[in-house]
Amino acid sequence: MLTLLKPGQVLINTASYCGRYAAHFSLLLIALMAVLPFLLPFHRPPIHSFYSEWLAFALGIGAYVAFLTRNLWENLSLPRTALYLFGLIAVIVIQSLWIKRPYVAQALMPALYLSWAILLMVLVHWLRLRFGQEKVVTTFAWFVFIGGLLQAIAGLVQFLGIPGWLGALIIVKKSLAVYGNLAQSNHFATHIMLAVAALSYLFSRRLLSWGLALSIAAFFAFIITLSGARAVLLYALTLCVLSLMLYLKKRDHAYFRLSIVTCTFLLVFIGTQYLLPQINDTLAQYLAELSLNPKPFTYDIALERAHAVTGGLSERVSEWHKGWLMFLRAPLLGVGVGNYASYSFHYQSMPEF
């Protein structure tokens, strides 16, 4: 039986399909921003972060396809948090009226990044209204978890020094600590900690089994130990304390599952600090044939870096002091985006530094 549709009805249905597919496509590209930019093995001068930033920017721009749909404009709303970024852009513009810069890009680039972020915030706000908050958050959690898992595998390959076709996809380790494809140990550890948070959320929503969740949490704890990042202890304690507080307040089984994963990660992370030095020689003895890395099975754990806290803290206090002097110099508008280095160079010649 042939059914005739009015032209207006066809247009409405077509627009509905386009809006639905555009929304899913935008959600996919935004979620991929939590995976692909962190796994690129390219970090070359003069700007080592160019490739990862370029890919993240391109994925964000591609997600803007949803702005071509009528549904977004009919339900357009500005998240309240985006107003803070508008305020930062206003400060940069006002700074440009009084602060002379050798390059226009010193003010233009931060403004472009902030504008890009504001559009993403508007887009994600619309996706939340369209799909519901739980679906959007769960989608992001899966991609953050998968991205962190792939990053942890890259760190394991670096630690073992496994050769072969993986060498084209994973950076060869040239330092003591493991740093994955991010080529920076602290960023590497932070990326995996985000994956731990995503893993905890997915487990609390019963999307992962007990055995899988706890074993991957232990794997994350072992790999993140190899980075030597000391801030991980603070992150892990925060996750554990917050999850326990939520459980004690709500007595909800989801928060109980959340507490189990976060506390497991914290305990394994602390235990690995003591266990790894004891078993590393044995691992190197039995797995030496796997490696072609000239320095395999090396690591830099936080426990062994504890003696370096004093020196590192003095350098940080020095930079905080400089920042405080800059604030006193220009408490309202600041000294200008991109001008920290020049002021730091000037302050370095002062007796207190």
Side-chain angles (χ1 to χ4, degrees):
M1 181 177 179
L2 180 63
T3 302
L4 297 178
L5 299 176
K6 297 179 180 180
Q9 186 177 354
V10 174
L11 290 175
I12 292 174
N13 291 339
T14 303
S16 177
Y17 280 120
C18 291
R20 183 177 62 186
Y21 290 129
H24 282 91
F25 183 70
S26 297
L27 181 60
L28 173 63
L29 290 186
I30 295 176
L32 284 174
M33 290 173 62
V35 181
L36 298 182
F38 299 101
L39 297 177
L40 286 180
F42 309 112
H43 300 278
R44 302 184 182 124
I47 304 177
H48 291 83
S49 60
F50 170 77
Y51 293 96
S52 54
E53 289 185 1
W54 177 89
L55 181 55
F57 205 83
L59 289 171
I61 294 296
Y64 294 161
V65 67
F67 283 98
L68 301 178
T69 63
R70 186 174 62 184
N71 184 270
L72 186 147
W73 292 101
E74 290 176 347
N75 300 278
L76 184 65
S77 60
L78 184 67
R80 188 183 306 172
T81 50
L83 297 177
Y84 300 116
L85 297 190
F86 274 119
L88 286 177
I89 293 176
V91 170
I92 293 174
V93 172
I94 296 173
Q95 282 182 344
S96 302
L97 300 177
W98 280 277
I99 300 175
K100 294 182 179 180
R101 295 185 175 90
Y103 306 105
V104 177
Q106 279 186 275
L108 181 61
M109 288 301 294
L112 288 176
Y113 269 96
L114 290 173
S115 301
W116 170 77
I118 289 172
L119 290 176
L120 284 177
M121 294 169 74
V122 172
L123 178 57
V124 172
H125 183 66
W126 173 71
L127 291 173
R128 187 187 67 177
L129 295 176
R130 185 175 180 87
F131 294 125
Q133 178 172 309
E134 183 173 352
K135 180 177 179 180
V136 173
V137 172
T138 301
T139 301
F140 287 161
W142 274 115
F143 278 81
V144 171
F145 166 64
I146 292 172
L149 181 60
L150 293 175
Q151 191 73 257
I153 293 174
L156 179 63
V157 171
Q158 284 184 340
F159 174 65
L160 298 177
I162 298 176
W165 60 271
L166 286 173
L169 302 175
I170 298 175
I171 301 173
V172 176
K173 184 165 68 72
K174 298 180 180 179
S175 67
L176 188 64
V178 168
Y179 44 69
N181 269 13
L182 279 167
Q184 211 281 341
S185 57
N186 290 326
H187 295 169
F188 168 77
T190 303
H191 186 208
I192 297 181
M193 278 306 306
L194 290 173
V196 172
L199 167 67
S200 303
Y201 170 79
L202 293 172
F203 179 66
S204 71
R205 307 304 297 176
R206 298 179 179 273
L207 298 174
L208 290 172
S209 65
W210 282 86
L212 185 62
L214 296 182
S215 59
I216 294 179
F219 172 66
F220 280 158
F222 172 76
I223 296 299
I224 209 170
T225 300
L226 303 175
S227 69
R230 291 167 291 192
V232 172
L233 182 60
L234 177 62
Y235 299 151
L237 277 173
T238 302
L239 286 176
C240 188
V241 170
L242 288 177
S243 60
L244 287 173
M245 288 175 60
L246 284 171
Y247 172 67
L248 293 176
K249 182 179 181 180
K250 301 290 185 179
R251 295 294 179 177
D252 187 88
H253 192 66
Y255 294 129
F256 172 73
R257 294 168 68 92
L258 194 70
S259 303
I260 290 296
V261 176
T262 55
C263 292
T264 297
F265 174 84
L266 176 62
L267 293 176
V268 175
F269 173 72
I270 294 175
T272 309
Q273 302 290 317
Y274 297 93
L275 180 62
L276 186 59
Q278 306 299 323
I279 66 173
N280 189 60
D281 291 339
T282 303
L283 289 176
Q285 179 181 354
Y286 287 99
L287 301 177
E289 296 181 357
L290 291 176
S291 178
L292 288 183
N293 192 323
K295 294 183 178 180
F297 305 102
T298 61
Y299 57 88
D300 188 14
I301 61 176
L303 185 65
E304 295 180 350
R305 297 181 61 202
H307 66 278
V309 171
T310 304
L313 183 61
S314 63
E315 295 176 358
R316 288 168 172 78
V317 170
S318 176
E319 295 304 315
W320 294 338
H321 188 187
K322 294 176 186 177
W324 176 247
L325 293 178
M326 294 179 206
F327 170 75
L328 295 178
R329 181 184 180 91
L332 294 180
L333 295 178
V335 297
V337 175
N339 289 338
Y340 180 89
S342 60
Y343 277 86
S344 177
F345 179 79
H346 171 71
Y347 289 147
Q348 198 65 43
S349 63
M350 299 171 62
E352 54 265 43
F353 296 103

